[in-house]
Amino acid sequence: MQVQLNKQLISSRLKNVYDGWRNASQNDEYGSISDAEALLLLSGDPAGEDEPVRKGTAFQTWLLGYEFPSTLLLFQKDKLLILCSASKAKFLNQIKEGNPPVPVEILVQAKAKEPPSNALPKFVEAYTSFKRVGSLVKEVCTGKLMTEWEQGVSKADNKPELVDMAPALSAFMAVKDEEEMKCIRTAANLTSTLLVHHIVLKLEMILDKEAKITHEQFATQIEARLGSGEGEVAKGPDMKVWSKGRGLNDVDWASTEFCYSPIIQSRSTATGYDLRSTAESSSDTIAHKGVFLIAVGMRYKGYCANLGRSIIVDPSKEQEAIYNLLLSMQTEMLREIKDGVSAREVYQRALDIVKKEKPELEKNFVKNAGFGTGVEFRDSAYLLSSKNSKHLKTDMVLNLSLGFSDLLDDNGKKYALHIVDTIRVGADRSTLLTEGAKSTKDTLFFLNPENEIEVEDDRPSKPSKKAPVKPLVNGSPVKNKTVGGKVLRNKTRSAAQEEVLMTAAAKIKDHQQQLHEGLQSAGLAKYSEGASGGGEKEGKTWKRFQSYKGESALPREVESLRISVDRKAQTIVLPVHGFAVPFHINTIKNVSKNDEGDYTYLRINFQTPGQLAGKKDDTPFEDPDSTFIRSVTYRSSDGHRFDTISKQITDLKKEVNKREQQKKEMADVIEQDVLVEIKGRRAHKLPEVFVRPALDGKRLPGEVEIHQNGLRYQSPMGSQKIDVLFTNIKHLFFQPCDKELMVIAHIHLRAPIMIGKKKAHDIQFFREASDVQFDETGNRKRKHRYGDEDEIEMEQQERKRRQMLNKEFKLFAERVAEAASTSMGETLEVDIPFRELSFEGVPFRTNVRLQPTTECLVHLIDPPFLVVTLNEIEIASLERVQFSLKQFDLVLIFKDFTKAPLHINSIPSGQLDDVKNWLDSVDIPLGEGPVNLNWGPIMKTINESPYDFFQQGGWRSFLGGGDADSDADEGSDSESEFEADPEEMQSEESSADASEYDGSDASDDSGSGSGYDDDSDDGDDWEELERKAAKSDSKRAAEAKGTRGDSDSDDDRPKKKKASAKPKANGKSKKR
């Protein structure tokens, strides 16, 4: 396949070269070629792998997109002359098709066995016709063509004067376009991913195990992440590392390489610490203490990114201070480096910071603060030193390198520190392209001094110690992780000690107080102008309706002046004083029929203001002060006709109400854009998966494909499909089949879509983990095996199948997230449920396992699914929290007050602390109460005036959250009018005219909650007898609680029914 050059890009860059050359006299950056009549670019044989990229090769790659060895370019004012071989000429001829700014002439060299052509003499003739030519005078090229070139030039009579054009070439390549920035971003992501997900983790393992490995071996292992070996033993890139990076799914690994061999240095390096990029990893064994310097750079499609880090094990206070100085200095330099600033000013600003903060370190500061980078790893023309006056421009890419060398530690040994990152120059400030493992919690490893003392006391001659490792991110918030007698703290020593002293309960209390204060201030600010809580009242407006446009449209039946029902016009025509008067069905509330003697009475009730029953009590009217007809009654001796009319009106009313309800339900359903199928390559697929909600027809597995702007699920026969656009994906979940019967990839949509005749907020792709295709009865193997060997093997195979399923679905979910992020420009991440944080509850009608994720609370196993976005929650209310109850309820109130609160009932009391810890960890304010609240009237009251609600104290005074238990009783007493009585709840749930919030209160599945509010018991039941028998135990338990400092009196507890004094399994003896 022929290489395709980017013709338009080459023409654009050629134009930049010629424009800069023609205006060189007016621009100092191109001053070196202002007097040049031509520009000569020589390229001989390719450089060796260990040699740095030459500027000529870098410029050729920048201009043409590829390196063309043994190719000569002569830029003339009126044309571009190229000398190359016949094979290269086939590729370079494409330049002529891209509308270049000057004509392009290609001179083809003859092949080895062919007679020589006049291409080289013609090129030499053109070159020698000029008096002054720009060239890279410091570069020496070798090869057969270069030898022939030098011989041809030596025979010429006139030789032009050569001027160095290196500064001008650097200026041409300095400012990066969007195509170049894409490559540099990918190189930066590769470098950052390698550092965070391999180098740092591997170094921690080496320190933890005190492994004996040399710096050179470690560097070789790092290089092997890109692949190693050749031929049949070749290994590809280590995707376990690269799959963890962002934007690395479609990387062209053939175009990826290291800029230099990774540099690893420790205090055991024989040559000492060296901050130069030309340093090498030595063959000395890595030390397990002190300062570790890491430097790694990667090149993608010719463009470089570089970073360097310092990791310190058991740092002194002086080392901590110097490292913090480097961090603050880099932050300040990012603000200073911007468009128009000179390189000299950048370095001087860094030096001023050192002089101000630590003047004694001025002599140790690096001699330059970095350099320009791109195709050429180190462009010295843009060296950030005190002598360089060149100005920086927007979209230049720099390697910012800050550090100190020849520092002395407490033992008098030399060490060095540095922080290196690739940055992009902006108009107002610079931004980091590389990141990771830079904060003090990631780079400073502290040792436990107590354990160090114990080690020194116990050791006779040989130290017995282990190196530190970092604690788990989601580990205990109270204790530090200790390994091998050492501990790594992610904070300073004093902060870590204070954190250990704080109990979990005290931390939650303090944190909740902060959350409630923030919630109160945010509520006052949001509703400061007395704005309404939402769109409930604004959404209800007077709806106009029309039965007929004129009298001519009335049906013929009205001529008889009898009651008639026009289903087509949704109208009832009534005779009134000799006139046929139409009434639209929306004006009618209901109809009733009564038989009295020989007559039948038909009463038609209309919608009027001031009605108190049902949801229509707040129905808006165009003019509520008008005169309204409340009802109309007709009498007839034809009872059968009135029966028919009553049934027709009732059916029409039901039909209209049903249609309006369906329209209301479908109001948020969106019509998606057209799915753009991917072209040029096969779409990534996930085969043999089932979908929920299921499609019509037989249940068969289909396949999911990732396309350019969305997903497509295709049924097996291709007759049905489901398209989901990336723009409509709100959350993407992957739930592994560990301890579950299926593996799931679940999509929660921003707006529902229609699947068949139903709307769907969630779409789920799953595959069952249990395998029924395998014969688990006797087979050949059983003849030769005895005992449980075959069962053990089957269990191992089952585990492997589950692992493969998890791997396949997770990879597909990550590909979906990557494709969506690329398509939308917004990051979509795969969310995985934390089973260890799960708890049981009843969000709908059945008891299910609810699992938190990073962003949501979900139940994905069985429909109906539950997906609650955490950042949409205003506050959480814990209800029925009493010592005597085995279960409690959780109510989630949303920031959108018009949305009905979500009730999760019947959560076991043993999981109360777990739920509270989780809610606190995700920054959700919470409140507690001993009874259920009737949230329908509460939310209606809040929606009427949210500002008044927050002025009166808001959620903190209403639910008593954030304060100690002392406020709980006051809050429940003051708001007792909202407590839900069991009988009221039942009547409200059964009433058809209840508030629109009905149904969201405590459900009928709340377990033993129905008997907790009984005020008295008739006779002694078993529980009462047990209470009497355990009276003495109860007194002893009360005394024990008093000694533990329980300040709550027993009188504060609910006295509806006393429980046994025997303590509960969860250990909650205090009032909630």
Side-chain angles (χ1 to χ4, degrees):
M1 182 178 178
Q2 182 177 351
V3 174
Q4 294 295 323
L5 301 182
N6 193 334
K7 300 181 285 290
Q8 285 75 21
L9 187 62
I10 293 173
S11 297
S12 172
R13 293 179 179 175
L14 268 177
K15 186 177 184 302
N16 291 340
V17 172
Y18 275 94
D19 289 346
W21 184 15
R22 289 163 184 158
N23 302 322
S25 58
Q26 303 172 6
N27 194 328
D28 294 339
E29 292 184 336
Y30 310 123
S32 59
I33 58 173
S34 58
D35 297 333
E37 300 174 0
L39 305 178
L40 176 66
L41 188 66
L42 302 177
S43 176
D45 291 346
E49 292 183 359
D50 297 333
E51 296 181 25
V53 176
R54 299 169 181 161
K55 189 175 290 292
T57 304
F59 183 74
Q60 190 189 82
T61 306
W62 171 80
L63 180 63
L64 304 177
Y66 295 91
E67 178 184 353
F68 288 88
S70 302
T71 302
L72 310 184
L73 281 74
L74 184 64
F75 296 84
Q76 305 176 39
K77 293 284 186 179
D78 56 349
K79 69 176 179 180
L80 172 61
L81 196 62
I82 302 177
L83 176 69
C84 62
S85 63
S87 59
K88 296 185 181 68
K90 294 179 181 178
F91 304 137
L92 295 174
N93 270 320
Q94 300 175 42
I95 302 176
K96 299 178 181 180
E97 304 170 5
N99 193 21
V102 294
V104 178
E105 182 181 351
I106 300 177
L107 304 177
V108 181
Q109 281 275 77
K111 294 182 180 180
K113 297 182 180 179
E114 295 178 356
S117 65
N118 64 342
L120 182 59
K122 191 174 181 180
F123 193 91
V124 172
E125 182 183 355
Y127 167 70
T128 54
S129 64
F130 300 104
K131 295 181 180 179
R132 191 178 179 87
V133 176
S135 180
L136 297 173
V137 295
K138 296 180 181 180
E139 283 194 5
V140 178
C141 299
T142 58
K144 180 181 177 182
L145 178 60
M146 298 310 301
T147 303
E148 295 176 354
W149 162 255
E150 292 171 357
Q151 292 174 354
V153 172
S154 63
K155 295 177 183 178
D157 297 333
N158 299 321
K159 297 178 183 178
E161 179 186 355
L162 297 178
V163 294
D164 190 9
M165 65 176 184
L169 298 192
S170 295
F172 288 133
M173 297 186 292
V175 178
K176 308 297 188 292
D177 56 33
E178 189 55 35
E179 287 295 324
E180 293 177 286
M181 287 306 305
K182 286 182 181 179
C183 296
I184 294 176
R185 286 193 201 97
T186 303
N189 289 340
L190 286 165
T191 312
S192 303
T193 301
L194 183 64
L195 173 76
V196 175
H197 297 292
H198 179 71
I199 298 177
V200 173
L201 299 179
K202 184 74 173 178
L203 180 60
E204 289 175 3
M205 187 178 70
I206 292 172
L207 298 177
D208 181 32
K209 297 182 178 179
E210 292 191 339
K212 292 184 178 180
I213 182 174
T214 66
H215 305 87
E216 188 177 10
Q217 289 172 340
F218 189 18
T220 303
Q221 291 180 6
I222 296 172
E223 284 187 288
R225 297 313 102 196
L226 268 185
S228 59
E230 295 180 358
E232 296 180 356
V233 295
K235 293 182 179 180
D238 186 359
M239 297 311 297
K240 292 181 180 178
V241 174
W242 303 117
S243 62
K244 298 174 182 177
R246 293 183 180 177
L248 303 182
N249 287 347
D250 297 326
V251 169
D252 181 7
W253 296 106
S255 303
T256 307
E257 59 182 339
F258 284 91
C259 298
Y260 54 87
S261 180
I263 303 171
I264 308 296
Q265 302 178 66
S266 70
R267 67 180 184 182
S268 61
T269 302
T271 55
Y273 293 98
D274 188 353
L275 298 183
R276 294 175 298 178
S277 58
T278 55
E280 296 182 355
S281 301
S282 70
S283 57
D284 305 300
T285 303
I286 293 179
H288 299 125
K289 196 175 181 182
V291 176
F292 299 84
L293 298 186
I294 300 169
V296 61
M298 300 199 72
R299 180 183 284 112
Y300 182 70
K301 292 186 177 178
Y303 289 88
C304 304
N306 185 51
L307 60 75
R309 294 291 183 265
S310 301
I311 292 179
I312 315 174
V313 176
D314 194 24
S316 63
K317 291 185 177 180
E318 176 69 13
Q319 289 173 334
E320 282 188 64
I322 297 175
Y323 187 79
N324 286 324
L325 173 61
L326 284 175
L327 289 177
S328 60
M329 190 190 306
Q330 188 191 63
T331 304
E332 180 64 26
M333 297 310 297
L334 290 175
R335 286 194 289 264
E336 292 292 329
I337 299 176
K338 55 188 175 183
D339 184 59
V341 177
S342 68
R344 179 190 303 162
E345 292 172 345
V346 171
Y347 181 79
Q348 191 59 44
R349 176 57 183 153
L351 200 59
D352 291 343
I353 296 175
V354 177
K355 291 179 181 178
K356 179 182 177 181
E357 300 294 334
K358 284 189 174 293
E360 68 275 10
L361 297 181
E362 180 183 354
K363 64 181 184 299
N364 303 103
F365 191 58
V366 290
K367 302 306 177 186
N368 64 77
F371 45 80
T373 188
V375 180
E376 191 177 9
F377 174 73
R378 186 178 187 273
D379 191 347
S380 57
Y382 289 92
L383 197 66
L384 302 180
S385 67
S386 59
K387 299 179 181 179
N388 191 354
S389 60
K390 283 188 176 292
H391 288 77
L392 306 180
K393 294 183 179 180
T394 303
D395 287 336
M396 284 186 177
V397 177
L398 304 176
N399 185 63
L400 181 61
S401 178
L402 305 173
F404 297 97
S405 59
D406 295 331
L407 299 169
L408 296 178
D409 61 14
D410 296 339
N411 298 324
K413 294 183 179 180
K414 288 185 177 182
Y415 70 94
L417 294 174
H418 73 162
I419 293 179
V420 183
D421 274 300
T422 304
I423 66 171
R424 177 183 184 177
V425 180
D428 301 322
R429 59 168 293 151
S430 297
T431 54
L432 289 169
L433 296 177
T434 52
E435 57 185 359
K438 186 164 54 179
S439 63
T440 53
K441 70 176 183 180
D442 295 324
T443 57
L444 302 185
F445 292 7
F446 293 95
L447 304 180
N448 190 332
E450 295 180 1
N451 289 337
E452 286 293 307
I453 294 172
E454 292 176 5
V455 169
E456 291 176 1
D457 292 340
D458 294 340
R459 62 179 182 181
S461 59
K462 185 178 179 181
S464 172
K465 53 185 178 181
K466 294 286 183 180
V469 297
K470 292 199 294 185
L472 296 173
V473 176
N474 295 325
S476 170
V478 180
K479 299 179 180 179
N480 289 296
K481 298 293 183 180
T482 305
V483 177
K486 294 189 180 180
V487 62
L488 172 65
R489 300 172 183 150
N490 56 7
K491 297 184 179 180
T492 60
R493 291 179 173 88
S494 58
Q497 291 170 357
E498 291 173 2
E499 186 175 359
V500 171
L501 295 176
M502 293 181 66
T503 63
K507 285 181 63 180
I508 291 177
K509 179 182 175 182
D510 293 342
H511 187 218
Q512 282 297 314
Q513 191 165 357
Q514 297 174 8
L515 292 177
H516 277 271
E517 289 173 356
L519 188 63
Q520 175 69 8
S521 59
L524 288 172
K526 182 178 179 181
Y527 302 104
S528 58
E529 300 178 359
S532 175
E536 184 186 15
K537 286 193 174 182
E538 298 174 2
K540 291 191 175 182
T541 58
W542 171 252
K543 182 181 178 182
R544 289 183 170 271
F545 39 81
Q546 186 178 32
S547 297
Y548 305 105
K549 292 184 178 181
E551 293 183 8
S552 59
L554 288 169
R556 293 182 179 180
E557 291 81 0
V558 303
E559 296 176 357
S560 60
L561 291 180
R562 302 177 70 186
I563 301 175
S564 62
V565 179
D566 187 354
R567 298 181 64 87
K568 184 177 181 182
Q570 298 181 0
T571 299
I572 290 88
V573 183
L574 302 178
V576 180
H577 298 297
F579 293 93
V581 183
F583 291 88
H584 196 276
I585 191 65
N586 286 341
T587 64
I588 296 175
K589 182 181 179 183
N590 54 36
V591 61
S592 62
K593 181 181 68 69
N594 293 320
D595 296 326
E596 295 182 7
D598 297 334
Y599 294 96
T600 300
Y601 291 84
L602 183 68
R603 178 186 176 97
I604 300 174
N605 299 313
F606 296 97
Q607 300 282 2
T608 58
Q611 297 178 0
L612 299 178
K615 294 185 179 181
K616 299 293 183 180
D617 58 341
D618 56 351
T619 300
F621 289 84
E622 190 172 25
D623 185 7
D625 296 329
S626 301
T627 302
F628 289 83
I629 300 175
R630 179 65 61 88
S631 64
V632 174
T633 304
Y634 290 89
R635 186 182 72 173
S636 174
S637 59
D638 189 356
H640 294 290
R641 172 167 171 76
F642 271 16
D643 285 342
T644 304
I645 292 174
S646 176
K647 188 175 185 304
Q648 287 177 345
I649 296 176
T650 304
D651 291 346
L652 180 59
K653 185 68 178 175
K654 288 181 180 179
E655 182 181 333
V656 171
N657 287 342
K658 183 178 180 182
R659 191 178 297 121
E660 287 183 357
Q661 186 66 24
Q662 289 176 347
K663 187 177 179 180
K664 186 178 179 180
E665 289 179 358
M666 298 302 172
D668 55 349
V669 176
I670 63 169
E671 187 71 27
Q672 295 189 116
D673 293 334
V674 179
L675 182 75
V676 180
E677 296 187 17
I678 200 163
K679 296 180 180 179
R681 65 174 178 84
R682 286 188 177 182
H684 294 298
K685 296 183 180 181
L686 183 63
E688 297 293 321
V689 293
F690 296 94
V691 65
R692 291 194 290 200
L695 298 174
D696 297 334
K698 191 176 181 181
R699 182 177 179 269
L700 293 172
E703 62 181 14
V704 194
E705 299 176 346
I706 303 176
H707 289 282
Q708 189 169 333
N709 65 335
L711 302 176
R712 169 168 289 172
Y713 175 82
Q714 198 83 18
S715 63
M717 306 304 294
S719 58
Q720 294 176 301
K721 63 183 180 181
I722 301 175
D723 291 345
V724 182
L725 298 189
F726 292 140
T727 53
N728 196 28
I729 296 179
K730 186 175 183 181
H731 297 294
L732 173 63
F733 303 99
F734 159 68
Q735 181 165 313
C737 55
D738 302 333
K739 300 182 181 179
E740 299 290 352
L741 297 178
M742 60 180 68
V743 58
I744 295 171
H746 187 97
I747 295 173
H748 183 64
L749 304 176
R750 297 181 185 273
I753 62 174
M754 293 299 297
I755 298 180
K757 296 181 180 180
K758 297 182 180 179
K759 73 172 185 177
H761 285 88
D762 298 87
I763 297 176
Q764 184 179 105
F765 308 109
F766 69 95
R767 196 183 297 169
E768 294 177 353
S770 59
D771 199 335
V772 298
Q773 300 176 5
F774 290 84
D775 180 17
E776 297 184 356
T777 58
N779 52 32
R780 296 181 184 176
K781 295 181 180 179
R782 295 185 68 92
K783 297 179 181 179
H784 309 286
R785 294 184 177 179
Y786 302 94
D788 297 332
E789 293 180 5
D790 52 345
E791 294 183 8
I792 294 174
E793 183 178 348
M794 288 166 59
E795 290 177 2
Q796 293 175 347
Q797 291 176 355
E798 177 72 16
R799 282 196 294 269
K800 288 181 180 178
R801 283 198 298 271
R802 287 177 176 266
Q803 291 174 359
M804 290 173 63
L805 281 175
N806 289 341
K807 183 177 180 181
E808 183 180 3
F809 269 69
K810 185 178 181 182
L811 179 61
F812 182 78
E814 290 173 347
R815 283 176 173 171
V816 172
E818 176 62 27
S821 301
T822 305
S823 174
M824 298 186 299
E826 301 176 2
T827 303
L828 176 68
E829 296 185 353
V830 181
D831 224 351
I832 302 177
F834 300 116
R835 187 178 177 87
E836 59 273 15
L837 299 178
S838 64
F839 57 92
E840 294 181 353
V842 184
F844 303 111
R845 293 188 177 182
T846 57
N847 189 34
V848 298
R849 180 179 294 277
L850 302 165
Q851 303 186 74
T853 71
T854 305
E855 299 178 352
C856 302
L857 176 66
V858 300
H859 163 64
L860 307 177
I861 296 298
D862 299 308
F865 306 119
L866 176 69
V867 178
V868 183
T869 306
L870 297 181
N871 60 14
E872 295 178 359
I873 297 175
E874 173 92 352
I875 192 171
S877 174
L878 303 174
E879 300 182 348
R880 293 199 302 120
V881 180
Q882 300 182 33
F883 175 70
S884 60
L885 303 185
K886 297 180 180 179
Q887 296 170 327
F888 69 96
D889 301 332
L890 172 64
V891 182
L892 301 178
I893 299 93
F894 298 98
K895 294 179 180 178
D896 180 7
F897 290 159
T898 61
K899 190 175 180 181
L902 173 68
H903 290 246
I904 301 174
N905 302 322
S906 304
I907 305 173
S909 296
Q911 294 182 302
L912 177 63
D913 288 341
D914 296 336
V915 173
K916 290 175 67 175
N917 286 332
W918 166 67
L919 289 171
D920 184 73
S921 68
V922 293
D923 296 335
I924 294 180
L926 55 91
E928 282 186 31
V931 295
N932 287 113
L933 299 180
N934 196 351
W935 285 98
I938 292 174
M939 297 309 299
K940 184 178 177 181
T941 304
I942 294 174
N943 273 314
E944 288 174 354
S945 181
Y947 182 65
D948 291 342
F949 171 71
F950 281 102
Q951 262 201 331
Q952 295 169 6
W955 298 111
R956 188 171 181 178
S957 63
F958 181 72
L959 294 177
D963 294 333
D965 294 336
S966 58
D967 292 342
D969 289 336
E970 296 176 9
S972 61
D973 292 340
S974 61
E975 301 294 342
S976 59
E977 58 190 288
F978 293 122
E979 290 182 8
D981 184 75
E983 295 181 1
E984 291 180 3
M985 290 173 62
Q986 290 179 2
S987 63
E988 286 177 1
E989 289 175 1
S990 61
S991 174
D993 297 329
S995 169
E996 64 185 273
Y997 287 104
D998 287 353
S1000 61
D1001 295 324
S1003 69
D1004 296 333
D1005 297 331
S1006 56
S1008 55
S1010 60
Y1012 295 140
D1013 295 332
D1014 295 340
D1015 293 330
S1016 62
D1017 291 331
D1018 295 333
D1020 292 344
D1021 57 7
W1022 283 107
E1023 192 170 343
E1024 184 69 17
L1025 292 172
E1026 183 184 357
R1027 185 189 65 79
K1028 292 179 179 179
K1031 188 173 182 180
S1032 60
D1033 294 340
S1034 177
K1035 291 181 180 179
R1036 285 196 294 270
E1039 292 174 0
K1041 281 184 283 186
T1043 58
R1044 288 196 297 267
D1046 188 354
S1047 60
D1048 296 333
S1049 64
D1050 291 338
D1051 295 336
D1052 293 335
R1053 289 198 176 92
K1055 297 184 178 180
K1056 296 175 182 178
K1057 179 181 285 189
K1058 290 188 177 181
S1060 170
K1062 185 178 179 180
K1064 297 290 182 182
N1066 58 8
K1068 298 182 185 66
S1069 60
K1070 296 175 71 175
K1071 182 181 79 67
R1072 295 288 177 190

